[in-house]
Amino acid sequence: MTGTIDQRPVRDEHNVGELVTQATEQLSKLVRQEVALAKAELADKGRRAGMGGGMLGAAGAFAYAGLLAAAGTGAAALSLVVPVWAAALIVTVLLFVIAGVLAMAGRGQLRRATPPKPQRAVDSMKADVEEIKGRAHR
């Protein structure tokens, strides 16, 4: 068999419509992947925040019980020097002053808080945009 092999050149050229379609599909896929990454990152942060919040809540409950015990102890000790009613009043005023200072400091912190954002997804999206810009200029 002498066999002849068809030696047609392979066509690497694509028309503009095919290239636009391909770019659109790739961009759509990239955006879906970035959204999925952001969702996964926020879900992970949400789980951690929930667990941390629960632990902080439990710590707060125990600290509150300890504060009540300390307030009672302080009032009892102070009642050795002043009448019981005066000792209780002094401790009560002191606790309200501390609560006020903490409330103002907490409010200031909340005002400065920024909304949480998926930093890795944002960085990845910026890198993708830079890559697309770089390839578009070639």
Side-chain angles (χ1 to χ4, degrees):
M1 213 171 155
T2 60
T4 59
I5 300 176
D6 191 11
Q7 294 282 336
R8 288 187 210 159
V10 177
R11 186 175 161 220
D12 269 346
E13 302 167 7
H14 298 284
N15 67 33
V16 174
E18 291 173 339
L19 291 175
V20 169
T21 300
Q22 188 179 23
T24 303
E25 289 172 358
Q26 289 176 351
L27 186 60
S28 177
K29 181 180 178 183
L30 178 63
V31 168
R32 281 193 303 272
Q33 289 173 338
E34 294 295 348
V35 168
L37 174 63
K39 281 182 181 179
E41 190 175 346
L42 286 174
D44 182 51
K45 287 184 178 187
R47 277 190 297 275
R48 290 180 186 274
M51 288 176 47
M55 290 178 186
L56 284 174
F62 278 95
Y64 181 68
L67 178 66
L68 291 177
T73 302
L78 197 55
S79 71
L80 298 174
V81 180
V82 296
V84 174
W85 67 268
L89 181 62
I90 291 169
V91 170
T92 301
V93 169
L94 180 64
L95 290 174
F96 277 121
V97 167
I98 292 171
V101 169
L102 289 173
M104 288 189 296
R107 191 172 104 195
Q109 288 295 322
L110 286 175
R111 283 185 175 170
R112 286 186 270 160
T114 58
K117 61 182 177 181
Q119 192 59 45
R120 287 190 320 227
V122 170
D123 293 342
S124 176
M125 184 64 84
K126 286 179 183 177
D128 292 342
V129 168
E130 290 301 319
E131 180 69 21
I132 290 169
K133 284 181 182 178
R135 288 179 185 256
H137 291 293
R138 290 185 194 171

